[in-house]
Amino acid sequence: MTMTWWEQWAFNLLHGVVAVTGLVYFYMKYVMTPFDPFAVINHPWQPVMLSSHVVTAPLFIAFFGMLFRSHTVRKLMSPDARNRRSGWMSLLSFSSMALTGYLLQVASSPSWVTAFLWAHVSTSLIFVVGYGTHLVIGWRLASVSNKSVPDKDDGALPRPA
């Protein structure tokens, strides 16, 4: 079973939504300062960003599971090791990112919340960079392999004389 175009498209869309909402929420909560010194939140959109991040993340994880079945396992069993390093980096950082994201929601001790927060932020950054690298290398490999295959209209490759 191979990965379909819509699985990859939906995964990449969800990846973008989760990454952007997480980054914007982090900026609003930890970087911005409120105009009102008595404000509970730093920006009026802060709760919306958190809710969007928390609601879309499980969908992102579900799509990761589908792609794991249709793409990752197949590539790990393949003798072709191209792009495997960035794939492993994406797989391991995604697993850590998802685990720390869930643990962050259930932690009650302030020290655990801080530890899970920084673990989640760091593994998320590693995943975003690793998966971006994985996509770029994959697109380059696909374009090189597409150029080496003759077009259907061209017929066979010319024979040497």
Side-chain angles (χ1 to χ4, degrees), residues 1-150:
M1 170 177 265
T2 60
M3 177 174 52
T4 63
W5 68 269
W6 70 268
E7 287 174 331
Q8 185 176 10
W9 182 85
F11 181 78
N12 289 335
L13 176 69
L14 287 168
H15 173 246
V17 170
V18 171
V20 167
T21 56
L23 182 67
V24 170
Y25 174 73
F26 182 85
Y27 180 80
M28 288 177 176
K29 180 160 177 124
Y30 297 103
V31 178
M32 290 182 83
T33 55
F35 292 118
D36 181 6
F38 300 106
V40 177
I41 57 175
N42 296 339
H43 191 278
W45 281 81
Q46 187 175 323
V48 173
M49 287 297 116
L50 178 60
S51 297
S52 300
H53 187 72
V54 170
V55 167
T56 55
L59 295 172
F60 182 49
I61 292 170
F63 269 87
F64 187 84
M66 287 189 336
L67 293 183
F68 183 81
R69 181 179 48 91
S70 66
H71 174 76
T72 309
V73 171
R74 186 172 53 86
K75 291 293 187 175
L76 289 174
M77 298 301 168
S78 169
D80 183 14
R82 296 179 302 169
N83 208 11
R84 195 168 287 170
R85 187 174 297 147
S86 62
W88 271 110
M89 186 166 86
S90 298
L91 176 63
L92 295 175
S93 61
F94 182 89
S95 303
S96 301
M97 174 185 68
L99 178 64
T100 56
Y102 278 116
L103 292 174
L104 182 59
Q105 295 178 55
V106 298
S108 57
S109 164
S111 59
W112 280 111
V113 169
T114 302
F116 290 140
L117 171 71
W118 289 110
H120 184 64
V121 168
S122 61
T123 55
S124 297
L125 291 172
I126 293 169
F127 175 73
V128 167
V129 170
Y131 184 66
T133 303
H134 189 68
L135 283 179
V136 168
I137 292 171
W139 287 331
R140 285 185 178 175
L141 290 173
S143 87
V144 167
S145 67
N146 286 341
K147 288 179 182 174
S148 65
V149 175

